[in-house]
Amino acid sequence: INSLNNLKRHLKTIGFPIISLLANMAKAPPLISFLLFSAAVLLTFPAAISSIGVNYGTLGNLPPPTQVANFLKTQTSIDSVKIFNVDPNILRAFAGTGISVVVTVPNGDIPALANGMQARRWVSANILPFHPQTKIKYISVGNEILLTGDNNTISKLLPAMRTINSALVRAGVRDVKVTTAHSLNIIAYDLHGAPSRGRFRPVWEKNILAPILSFHRQTKSPFMVNPYPYFGFDPKNVNFAIFRSPYKAVRDPFTRKIYTNMYDALMDSTYSAMKALGYGDVNIVVGETGWPSACDAPWCSPANAAWFNLNIIRRAQGQGTPLMPKRRFETYIFGLFNEESKPGPTAERNWGLFRSDFSPVYDVGLLRGGGRGRPAPALPAPSTAGKWCVAKSGATNAQLQANIDWVCSQGGVDCKPIQAGGSCFNPSSLRMHASFVMNAYFQKNGRSDGSCHFSGTGVVVRSNPSDGACKF
């Protein structure tokens, strides 16, 4: 029941009001091809990605914090983590690593922390023993508090933020900023559904969010939001949610800006709501976003999750949105690990970039030097597994080429056999070449049906598609 309620909560957060309206507006044809877009991503990514954080959840049989901290420091370019508590073992593990940490005040502690003395005690117990050896960057006072509907906690949220900030200043700690993470249910969309007309819900706008934004401006702390296209996208326009082509683009009738993906629309709706209150200058931090690599529907796959997060990383590197073209969003991807102990639907356990043995679920360029962490368990030989992934007969040449480009850009799949002189170059068929690399990706990812989805262009077969010297 709790899992179902949690799912309903997220569906209400951002989903159906804006998605249905965006779908009705989706009249523009695709503006760029997948090939051009993927080429642009590959050409503009820096060799070493920085300023990318991850949410570090702990619900599972996961390695101890000391191993996690060492892995992130030595084998990845991830430079910050966000945790959902103030676990002293985690804080100690990250001491001296140079990796910054965002800690979270448990929601239930907020009413008490509105008292100045309690806030000072909390800072003394949870921040001062660890900082600055551990680079605590932000304190998130609760997580998605407005979504809880608990009026007592909501009324104490800003007072607790103020008292904790005052306690930090009193203790001489001026480099730790105080914020709180918001679900995007804080946004109310008008009948046009245009990002430029995004506004905060009236029940919270003037009495809750305007004072919080004023606090952020005064303390130079960020407004933290959790934009999740996954929760509430239009199943008929999945590609719009995951940055893939072809998609139904959206035109804002008021700004005439074109939106090629849902994430930008959500971010610009948030910015428009802030600007309408006079706080468009306050910095925005993305506290959570991501896409599951497996769920109980076909749109979850390692390929889709990787493509979504590659584009999220691109925006964190400075691409911006139609209304914020020069903004760089500090971003925390959800999440670091697949958390196998999470209850609820399959998706709840499959948000991670890495498995518990540090092997990547998929590659988005965050591993140093092409390293793979600890090797994943060896897969059985394809010839005895009886499952292969091939291109569907209805897939277009553009889709087939896009699949080739994407798989070969990921690393870990040998695409040399389909190149001139390779064992699978002849017959020189785009469909054969695409099937070969799609199958290689499928085998590499454990032959899960989701890893053969390829936006609906792949199909799992039981007969070996090998052709002469070209062995699948």
Side-chain angles (χ1 to χ4, degrees):
I1 292 175
N2 287 338
S3 291
L4 289 174
N5 288 336
N6 187 49
L7 183 58
K8 289 177 184 177
R9 179 196 77 175
H10 283 295
L11 289 175
K12 289 195 305 182
T13 298
I14 57 172
F16 295 114
I18 188 171
I19 296 311
S20 60
L21 293 167
L22 288 175
N24 290 334
M25 295 169 56
K27 298 178 181 178
L31 302 178
I32 52 175
S33 72
F34 181 93
L35 297 178
L36 291 175
F37 189 61
S38 59
V41 171
L42 294 173
L43 290 173
T44 56
F45 270 5
I49 295 172
S50 60
S51 299
I52 289 294
V54 291
N55 286 270
Y56 173 15
T58 57
L59 295 179
N61 184 22
L62 300 176
T66 52
Q67 291 184 17
V68 174
N70 183 64
F71 169 72
L72 293 180
K73 178 183 179 180
T74 62
Q75 298 193 49
T76 80
S77 52
I78 293 167
D79 63 6
S80 51
V81 297
K82 178 169 163 279
I83 61 176
F84 295 93
N85 49 33
V86 281
D87 187 329
N89 293 321
I90 294 178
L91 293 178
R92 278 192 289 267
F94 280 91
T97 62
I99 296 171
S100 63
V101 181
V102 181
V103 301
T104 303
V105 175
N107 290 2
D109 292 353
I110 289 174
L113 293 178
N115 176 279
M117 181 176 292
Q118 293 296 330
R120 290 191 292 273
R121 288 174 177 170
W122 188 92
V123 167
S124 294
N126 295 288
I127 303 300
L128 300 185
F130 308 103
H131 184 77
Q133 293 86 358
T134 299
K135 290 177 57 178
I136 299 174
K137 188 172 188 179
Y138 304 129
I139 299 171
S140 176
V141 181
N143 187 54
E144 301 185 342
I145 294 299
L146 301 188
L147 191 63
T148 68
D150 184 332
N151 290 330
N152 180 50
T153 302
I154 291 171
S155 68
K156 295 299 195 316
L157 174 58
L158 181 55
M161 293 170 69
R162 287 173 173 156
T163 56
I164 290 174
N165 184 69
S166 296
L168 291 170
V169 172
R170 180 169 175 165
V173 178
R174 298 184 179 273
D175 56 346
V176 177
K177 300 298 183 181
V178 176
T179 185
T180 184
H182 298 280
S183 159
L184 285 197
N185 80 319
I186 60 175
I187 304 294
Y189 301 95
D190 71 5
L191 293 177
H192 298 287
S196 65
R197 291 299 187 268
R199 298 294 184 267
F200 293 123
R201 294 185 184 275
V203 67
W204 298 321
E205 183 179 38
K206 297 292 178 62
N207 295 329
I208 303 292
L209 292 168
I212 285 177
L213 286 164
S214 178
F215 168 85
H216 288 313
R217 177 183 283 166
Q218 178 186 0
T219 61
K220 296 181 173 57
S221 56
F223 188 65
M224 184 177 286
V225 295
N226 298 341
Y228 274 109
Y230 176 76
F231 293 113
F233 66 93
D234 180 0
K236 297 179 181 178
N237 198 11
V238 176
N239 285 352
F240 185 68
I242 61 172
F243 302 91
R244 274 198 186 279
S245 294
Y247 50 80
K248 293 180 181 178
V250 168
R251 184 188 300 273
D252 186 318
F254 302 99
T255 63
R256 307 185 71 82
K257 300 288 187 182
I258 299 295
Y259 287 84
T260 61
N261 64 85
M262 183 178 169
Y263 180 82
D264 285 354
L266 294 174
M267 293 296 288
D268 278 358
S269 295
T270 303
Y271 168 72
S272 296
M274 297 167 64
K275 186 177 179 182
L277 285 178
Y279 295 99
D281 59 307
V282 172
N283 188 33
I284 300 172
V285 164
V286 176
E288 295 178 34
T289 192
W291 195 271
S293 59
C295 68
D296 301 317
W299 42 74
C300 297
S301 67
N304 285 352
W307 189 244
F308 179 90
N309 283 324
L310 278 168
N311 283 276
I312 294 300
I313 291 169
R314 187 183 185 199
R315 277 148 180 77
Q317 297 301 310
Q319 175 177 318
T321 67
L323 293 183
M324 298 179 285
K326 296 182 179 180
R327 287 267 190 124
R328 171 176 174 159
F329 305 115
E330 182 180 349
T331 301
Y332 294 81
I333 292 173
F334 193 90
L336 178 55
F337 293 114
N338 280 343
E339 296 179 78
E340 60 190 31
S341 295
K342 270 193 169 182
T346 302
E348 290 296 311
R349 295 175 288 281
N350 288 280
W351 288 87
L353 297 170
F354 299 95
R355 304 178 184 91
S356 59
D357 65 354
F358 297 111
S359 63
V361 178
Y362 48 82
D363 182 17
V364 287
L366 295 174
L367 286 162
R368 296 184 185 276
R372 299 280 161 183
R374 295 182 184 178
L379 298 175
S383 59
T384 61
K387 288 176 69 175
W388 295 265
C389 176
V390 298
K392 279 186 178 179
S393 59
T396 66
N397 286 344
Q399 290 172 321
L400 295 175
Q401 186 63 56
N403 291 345
I404 293 172
D405 291 347
W406 185 84
V407 171
C408 294
S409 73
Q410 294 303 293
V413 170
D414 183 8
C415 292
K416 291 180 181 178
I418 66 171
Q419 298 171 3
S423 60
C424 290
F425 181 72
N426 289 315
S428 185
S429 158
L430 186 62
R431 185 169 302 280
M432 188 70 169
H433 290 177
S435 293
F436 177 83
V437 299
M438 290 163 67
N439 179 68
Y441 183 87
F442 174 71
Q443 304 296 334
K444 175 177 175 284
N445 285 279
R447 300 183 184 88
S448 67
D449 288 357
S451 62
C452 185
H453 186 245
F454 290 97
S455 297
T457 63
V459 61
V460 176
V461 297
R462 296 288 178 175
S463 58
N464 193 329
S466 297
D467 186 350
C470 182
K471 302 298 183 183
F472 278 62

